Amino acid sequence: MSLLTSGYLFNFIFHPFRFFTRRAEGQRLFFMSAGSGIALAALVFPGAAFLKHLLPADSWPMLLAHAFASAVPVPHANKLFLTLVVAALLAYALNLASVRMVRGKHASHLLSSGGKAKSSAQCVYDTLTERHGTPMAQLLRRAADQQKLVMLTLKSRKIYCGRIFEVSPDIDSAEACLEILPSFSSYRDKDTLKMGDERTEYPIIDLWVATQRVYSLKEKLGLFRGTFAQFALRKAGSMIEEHMAAVRKYESGLKDEINELEAQIEGMLNGRDFDVQDWVKVIPLKEVESASFHDAGAYSAWFAAAENGALRVQ
Protein backbone atom coordinates (compact mmCIF):
# COMPACT_ATOMS: atom_id res chain seq x y z
CA MET A 1 0.00 0.00 0.00
CA SER A 2 2.87 2.36 0.73
CA LEU A 3 4.40 1.78 -2.72
CA LEU A 4 0.98 2.11 -4.34
CA THR A 5 0.41 5.42 -2.53
CA SER A 6 3.87 6.64 -3.54
CA GLY A 7 3.16 5.82 -7.18
CA TYR A 8 -0.20 7.55 -7.10
CA LEU A 9 1.34 10.63 -5.45
CA PHE A 10 4.04 10.83 -8.11
CA ASN A 11 1.54 10.38 -10.94
CA PHE A 12 -0.75 13.02 -9.45
CA ILE A 13 1.98 15.70 -9.11
CA PHE A 14 4.11 15.09 -12.23
CA HIS A 15 2.31 16.91 -15.07
CA PRO A 16 2.80 14.44 -17.98
CA PHE A 17 1.85 11.42 -15.85
CA ARG A 18 -1.11 13.28 -14.40
CA PHE A 19 -2.41 13.91 -17.92
CA PHE A 20 -2.59 10.18 -18.60
CA THR A 21 -3.72 9.05 -15.14
CA ARG A 22 -6.69 11.46 -15.21
CA ARG A 23 -7.90 9.59 -18.28
CA ALA A 24 -7.40 6.16 -16.69
CA GLU A 25 -9.95 4.29 -14.63
CA GLY A 26 -10.21 1.08 -12.61
CA GLN A 27 -7.48 -1.49 -13.10
CA ARG A 28 -5.49 0.68 -15.48
CA LEU A 29 -5.19 3.44 -12.88
CA PHE A 30 -4.24 0.86 -10.25
CA PHE A 31 -1.45 -0.67 -12.33
CA MET A 32 -0.12 2.74 -13.39
CA SER A 33 0.20 3.74 -9.72
CA ALA A 34 1.71 0.37 -8.82
CA GLY A 35 4.23 0.61 -11.65
CA SER A 36 5.37 4.07 -10.60
CA GLY A 37 5.61 2.94 -6.97
CA ILE A 38 7.76 -0.07 -7.85
CA ALA A 39 10.02 2.13 -10.03
CA LEU A 40 10.46 4.58 -7.15
CA ALA A 41 11.23 1.74 -4.74
CA ALA A 42 13.84 0.47 -7.19
CA LEU A 43 15.58 3.84 -6.79
CA VAL A 44 15.07 4.41 -3.07
CA PHE A 45 15.85 0.96 -1.61
CA PRO A 46 19.29 0.54 -3.24
CA GLY A 47 20.05 4.20 -2.50
CA ALA A 48 19.14 3.76 1.16
CA ALA A 49 21.30 0.63 1.38
CA PHE A 50 24.22 2.52 -0.17
CA LEU A 51 23.83 5.39 2.30
CA LYS A 52 23.69 2.92 5.19
CA HIS A 53 27.18 1.68 4.34
CA LEU A 54 28.42 5.19 3.55
CA LEU A 55 27.20 7.07 6.65
CA PRO A 56 28.48 6.42 10.20
CA ALA A 57 26.07 4.62 12.51
CA ASP A 58 25.98 7.58 14.90
CA SER A 59 25.15 10.17 12.22
CA TRP A 60 21.80 11.95 12.53
CA PRO A 61 20.28 10.43 9.33
CA MET A 62 21.04 6.91 10.56
CA LEU A 63 19.79 7.67 14.09
CA LEU A 64 16.59 9.14 12.66
CA ALA A 65 16.05 6.14 10.38
CA HIS A 66 16.62 3.73 13.26
CA ALA A 67 14.20 5.64 15.49
CA PHE A 68 11.53 5.68 12.80
CA ALA A 69 11.95 1.96 12.11
CA SER A 70 11.67 1.22 15.84
CA ALA A 71 8.53 3.35 16.26
CA VAL A 72 6.64 1.88 13.26
CA PRO A 73 6.19 -1.91 13.50
CA VAL A 74 6.35 -2.48 9.73
CA PRO A 75 9.26 -4.08 7.86
CA HIS A 76 11.37 -1.46 6.03
CA ALA A 77 9.18 1.33 7.44
CA ASN A 78 11.90 3.95 7.09
CA LYS A 79 12.53 3.07 3.44
CA LEU A 80 8.82 3.06 2.63
CA PHE A 81 8.41 6.48 4.20
CA LEU A 82 11.45 7.71 2.29
CA THR A 83 9.81 6.46 -0.92
CA LEU A 84 6.78 8.67 -0.21
CA VAL A 85 9.02 11.70 0.35
CA VAL A 86 11.07 11.00 -2.77
CA ALA A 87 7.89 10.57 -4.84
CA ALA A 88 6.73 14.11 -4.01
CA LEU A 89 10.14 15.79 -4.24
CA LEU A 90 11.09 14.06 -7.49
CA ALA A 91 7.74 14.90 -9.10
CA TYR A 92 8.07 18.60 -8.21
CA ALA A 93 11.67 18.63 -9.46
CA LEU A 94 10.73 17.02 -12.78
CA ASN A 95 7.89 19.53 -13.21
CA LEU A 96 10.54 22.23 -13.65
CA ALA A 97 11.62 20.50 -16.86
CA SER A 98 8.26 19.00 -17.83
CA VAL A 99 7.63 21.46 -20.69
CA ARG A 100 10.95 20.56 -22.29
CA MET A 101 10.33 16.87 -21.69
CA VAL A 102 7.18 16.90 -23.83
CA ARG A 103 8.81 19.34 -26.29
CA GLY A 104 6.14 21.94 -25.70
CA LYS A 105 6.29 25.72 -26.00
CA HIS A 106 7.58 27.51 -22.93
CA ALA A 107 5.00 29.12 -20.67
CA SER A 108 6.57 32.59 -20.73
CA HIS A 109 5.84 32.90 -24.47
CA LEU A 110 2.18 31.87 -24.29
CA LEU A 111 -0.91 33.66 -23.07
CA SER A 112 -4.26 32.20 -22.12
CA SER A 113 -7.51 33.67 -23.39
CA GLY A 114 -7.61 35.92 -20.33
CA GLY A 115 -4.29 37.53 -21.25
CA LYS A 116 -2.31 35.85 -18.46
CA ALA A 117 0.83 33.82 -18.98
CA LYS A 118 0.14 30.09 -19.11
CA SER A 119 1.51 27.89 -16.36
CA SER A 120 3.97 25.13 -17.18
CA ALA A 121 1.29 22.58 -16.30
CA GLN A 122 -1.11 24.09 -18.84
CA CYS A 123 1.62 24.07 -21.51
CA VAL A 124 2.27 20.38 -20.85
CA TYR A 125 -1.45 19.53 -20.99
CA ASP A 126 -1.88 21.53 -24.21
CA THR A 127 1.02 19.77 -25.92
CA LEU A 128 -0.15 16.31 -24.87
CA THR A 129 -3.74 17.11 -25.85
CA GLU A 130 -2.57 18.01 -29.36
CA ARG A 131 -0.83 14.64 -29.64
CA HIS A 132 -2.97 12.24 -27.62
CA GLY A 133 -6.29 13.97 -26.91
CA THR A 134 -9.67 13.04 -28.31
CA PRO A 135 -10.88 14.89 -31.44
CA MET A 136 -13.23 16.95 -29.25
CA ALA A 137 -10.38 17.91 -26.90
CA GLN A 138 -8.10 18.83 -29.80
CA LEU A 139 -10.76 21.03 -31.42
CA LEU A 140 -11.49 22.87 -28.18
CA ARG A 141 -7.79 23.30 -27.46
CA ARG A 142 -7.18 24.84 -30.90
CA ALA A 143 -10.25 27.04 -30.51
CA ALA A 144 -8.99 28.40 -27.18
CA ASP A 145 -5.45 29.00 -28.42
CA GLN A 146 -6.37 30.49 -31.81
CA GLN A 147 -9.54 32.23 -30.58
CA LYS A 148 -11.75 30.85 -33.32
CA LEU A 149 -15.52 30.94 -33.09
CA VAL A 150 -16.98 27.58 -32.08
CA MET A 151 -20.55 26.35 -32.27
CA LEU A 152 -21.59 23.95 -29.51
CA THR A 153 -24.76 21.85 -29.61
CA LEU A 154 -25.80 20.58 -26.20
CA LYS A 155 -27.81 17.48 -25.43
CA SER A 156 -30.71 19.77 -24.51
CA ARG A 157 -30.61 21.04 -28.17
CA LYS A 158 -29.42 24.43 -26.93
CA ILE A 159 -26.81 26.05 -29.18
CA TYR A 160 -24.01 28.37 -28.11
CA CYS A 161 -21.65 30.04 -30.56
CA GLY A 162 -18.70 32.04 -29.29
CA ARG A 163 -15.07 32.04 -28.28
CA ILE A 164 -13.71 29.42 -25.93
CA PHE A 165 -12.49 31.44 -22.98
CA GLU A 166 -10.79 28.50 -21.26
CA VAL A 167 -10.99 24.72 -21.02
CA SER A 168 -10.06 22.43 -18.16
CA PRO A 169 -6.45 21.19 -18.27
CA ASP A 170 -7.82 17.62 -18.08
CA ILE A 171 -10.22 18.04 -21.03
CA ASP A 172 -10.83 14.32 -21.42
CA SER A 173 -11.90 13.72 -17.82
CA ALA A 174 -15.56 13.14 -16.94
CA GLU A 175 -15.75 16.29 -14.79
CA ALA A 176 -14.14 18.64 -17.33
CA CYS A 177 -15.84 21.96 -18.13
CA LEU A 178 -15.29 24.71 -20.66
CA GLU A 179 -15.84 28.44 -20.46
CA ILE A 180 -17.34 30.07 -23.54
CA LEU A 181 -17.95 33.75 -24.17
CA PRO A 182 -21.03 33.55 -26.41
CA SER A 183 -21.58 35.50 -29.59
CA PHE A 184 -25.14 34.20 -29.89
CA SER A 185 -27.30 31.36 -28.62
CA SER A 186 -30.11 29.48 -30.31
CA TYR A 187 -31.72 26.03 -30.37
CA ARG A 188 -32.33 23.09 -32.69
CA ASP A 189 -35.79 21.95 -33.71
CA LYS A 190 -36.70 18.73 -31.91
CA ASP A 191 -37.86 17.04 -35.13
CA THR A 192 -35.64 18.37 -37.93
CA LEU A 193 -32.66 19.40 -35.71
CA LYS A 194 -32.28 22.50 -37.88
CA MET A 195 -31.28 25.71 -36.15
CA GLY A 196 -34.24 27.75 -35.00
CA ASP A 197 -35.01 31.20 -36.41
CA GLU A 198 -34.85 32.92 -33.02
CA ARG A 199 -31.52 33.57 -31.43
CA THR A 200 -30.05 35.76 -28.69
CA GLU A 201 -27.16 38.02 -29.62
CA TYR A 202 -24.34 38.80 -27.17
CA PRO A 203 -22.59 41.98 -28.39
CA ILE A 204 -20.33 41.82 -25.32
CA ILE A 205 -17.90 39.65 -27.31
CA ASP A 206 -16.94 42.63 -29.51
CA LEU A 207 -16.12 44.61 -26.37
CA TRP A 208 -13.96 41.82 -25.04
CA VAL A 209 -12.05 41.48 -28.34
CA ALA A 210 -11.39 45.23 -28.29
CA THR A 211 -10.10 45.14 -24.69
CA GLN A 212 -7.83 42.22 -25.53
CA ARG A 213 -6.45 44.13 -28.52
CA VAL A 214 -5.75 47.19 -26.34
CA TYR A 215 -3.97 45.01 -23.78
CA SER A 216 -1.83 43.44 -26.51
CA LEU A 217 -0.94 46.82 -28.05
CA LYS A 218 0.01 48.33 -24.70
CA GLU A 219 2.27 45.35 -23.97
CA LYS A 220 3.87 45.74 -27.39
CA LEU A 221 4.32 49.50 -26.86
CA GLY A 222 5.93 48.99 -23.45
CA LEU A 223 8.27 46.32 -24.82
CA PHE A 224 9.19 48.52 -27.76
CA ARG A 225 9.99 51.51 -25.55
CA GLY A 226 12.13 49.42 -23.22
CA THR A 227 14.09 47.83 -26.06
CA PHE A 228 14.66 51.13 -27.82
CA ALA A 229 15.75 52.85 -24.59
CA GLN A 230 18.40 50.18 -24.01
CA PHE A 231 19.54 50.51 -27.62
CA ALA A 232 19.78 54.30 -27.31
CA LEU A 233 22.01 54.01 -24.24
CA ARG A 234 24.44 51.71 -26.03
CA LYS A 235 24.58 53.66 -29.30
CA ALA A 236 25.02 57.36 -29.77
CA GLY A 237 25.38 60.06 -32.40
CA SER A 238 24.14 60.09 -35.97
CA MET A 239 23.16 56.41 -35.98
CA ILE A 240 20.33 57.13 -33.50
CA GLU A 241 19.20 60.27 -35.31
CA GLU A 242 18.77 58.37 -38.57
CA HIS A 243 16.20 56.04 -37.02
CA MET A 244 14.35 58.48 -34.76
CA ALA A 245 11.78 59.46 -37.40
CA ALA A 246 10.81 55.84 -38.13
CA VAL A 247 10.71 55.04 -34.42
CA ARG A 248 8.44 57.98 -33.62
CA LYS A 249 6.15 57.07 -36.53
CA TYR A 250 5.80 53.49 -35.32
CA GLU A 251 5.19 54.59 -31.73
CA SER A 252 2.66 57.17 -32.88
CA GLY A 253 0.82 54.49 -34.89
CA LEU A 254 0.52 52.27 -31.82
CA LYS A 255 -0.74 55.17 -29.70
CA ASP A 256 -3.32 56.18 -32.32
CA GLU A 257 -4.69 52.63 -32.55
CA ILE A 258 -4.86 52.34 -28.75
CA ASN A 259 -6.68 55.68 -28.47
CA GLU A 260 -9.12 54.72 -31.21
CA LEU A 261 -9.92 51.38 -29.59
CA GLU A 262 -10.28 52.94 -26.14
CA ALA A 263 -12.73 55.46 -27.59
CA GLN A 264 -14.74 52.61 -29.13
CA ILE A 265 -14.72 50.73 -25.83
CA GLU A 266 -15.90 53.81 -23.95
CA GLY A 267 -18.72 54.25 -26.46
CA MET A 268 -19.80 50.60 -26.12
CA LEU A 269 -19.69 50.74 -22.34
CA ASN A 270 -21.60 54.04 -22.14
CA GLY A 271 -20.67 54.44 -18.49
CA ARG A 272 -21.46 50.84 -17.49
CA ASP A 273 -19.10 48.54 -15.62
CA PHE A 274 -17.60 45.64 -17.57
CA ASP A 275 -16.38 42.32 -16.26
CA VAL A 276 -16.05 39.63 -18.89
CA GLN A 277 -16.48 36.89 -16.27
CA ASP A 278 -20.10 38.02 -15.80
CA TRP A 279 -20.85 36.88 -19.36
CA VAL A 280 -18.89 33.63 -19.48
CA LYS A 281 -20.93 30.43 -19.68
CA VAL A 282 -19.52 27.35 -17.93
CA ILE A 283 -20.62 24.15 -19.68
CA PRO A 284 -19.79 20.57 -18.61
CA LEU A 285 -18.20 18.77 -21.53
CA LYS A 286 -20.42 15.75 -20.93
CA GLU A 287 -23.38 17.93 -21.95
CA VAL A 288 -21.85 18.81 -25.33
CA GLU A 289 -23.35 16.76 -28.16
CA SER A 290 -21.21 18.20 -30.97
CA ALA A 291 -18.73 20.99 -31.61
CA SER A 292 -17.42 22.66 -34.76
CA PHE A 293 -15.67 25.81 -35.85
CA HIS A 294 -18.12 28.48 -36.96
CA ASP A 295 -17.92 30.68 -40.03
CA ALA A 296 -20.97 32.87 -40.53
CA GLY A 297 -20.48 33.01 -44.31
CA ALA A 298 -19.75 29.31 -44.82
CA TYR A 299 -23.36 28.28 -45.54
CA SER A 300 -23.99 30.93 -48.18
CA ALA A 301 -20.59 30.31 -49.76
CA TRP A 302 -20.92 26.52 -50.02
CA PHE A 303 -24.24 24.90 -49.23
CA ALA A 304 -26.49 27.59 -50.65
CA ALA A 305 -24.43 27.58 -53.85
CA ALA A 306 -24.83 23.81 -54.12
CA GLU A 307 -28.59 24.07 -53.66
CA ASN A 308 -28.78 26.63 -56.47
CA GLY A 309 -26.82 24.40 -58.80
CA ALA A 310 -23.72 26.59 -58.81
CA LEU A 311 -21.56 23.90 -57.21
CA ARG A 312 -21.34 20.43 -58.70
CA VAL A 313 -19.17 17.56 -57.51
CA GLN A 314 -17.91 15.38 -60.36
Side-chain angles (χ1 to χ4, degrees), residues 85-279:
V85 175
V86 169
L89 295 180
L90 181 61
Y92 281 117
L94 290 176
N95 278 342
L96 299 177
S98 58
V99 178
R100 293 182 179 273
M101 294 172 69
V102 300
R103 298 180 181 178
K105 296 180 180 179
H106 197 272
S108 61
H109 301 296
L110 298 173
L111 296 178
S112 66
S113 302
K116 299 179 181 179
K118 287 188 176 182
S119 64
S120 59
Q122 185 66 65
C123 291
V124 170
Y125 298 145
D126 290 354
T127 302
L128 294 176
T129 298
E130 292 175 3
R131 299 174 184 172
H132 307 287
T134 62
M136 175 74 77
Q138 292 174 352
L139 184 146
L140 294 175
R141 186 70 267 158
R142 290 197 302 270
D145 290 340
Q146 301 172 17
Q147 281 303 288
K148 290 184 176 181
L149 285 174
V150 170
M151 181 177 288
L152 304 176
T153 299
L154 308 185
K155 294 179 180 178
S156 63
R157 297 195 302 277
K158 182 77 172 181
I159 295 174
Y160 283 106
C161 179
R163 296 179 185 268
I164 300 298
F165 201 67
E166 194 51 75
V167 291
S168 302
D170 49 341
I171 296 179
D172 289 323
S173 68
E175 298 81 15
C177 296
L178 62 87
E179 300 178 11
I180 183 171
L181 187 65
S183 173
F184 69 85
S185 63
S186 184
Y187 64 93
R188 292 195 182 277
D189 184 88
K190 64 178 181 178
D191 298 321
T192 64
L193 296 183
K194 289 185 177 181
M195 187 184 300
D197 296 330
E198 298 179 2
R199 71 183 198 178
T200 303
E201 301 286 346
Y202 295 84
I204 202 71
I205 194 170
D206 296 327
L207 179 59
W208 177 73
V209 171
T211 56
Q212 288 294 100
R213 177 62 178 167
V214 169
Y215 174 84
S216 177
L217 289 174
K218 287 184 176 180
E219 289 290 313
K220 183 184 294 186
L221 182 61
L223 181 63
F224 171 76
R225 286 174 173 173
T227 303
F228 183 74
Q230 292 179 2
F231 178 76
L233 290 174
R234 295 176 183 176
K235 304 292 183 179
S238 59
M239 185 176 182
I240 291 296
E241 296 298 330
E242 292 176 0
H243 297 283
M244 284 301 294
V247 168
R248 290 196 182 100
K249 184 177 180 180
Y250 177 78
E251 185 177 4
S252 177
L254 289 178
K255 289 180 179 178
D256 290 343
E257 187 175 357
I258 291 173
N259 292 334
E260 182 180 349
L261 285 171
E262 287 182 337
Q264 293 178 6
I265 292 172
E266 186 176 352
M268 285 187 285
L269 285 175
N270 195 22
R272 293 167 295 188
D273 294 331
F274 169 66
D275 187 353
V276 69
Q277 291 293 341
D278 294 339
W279 297 86

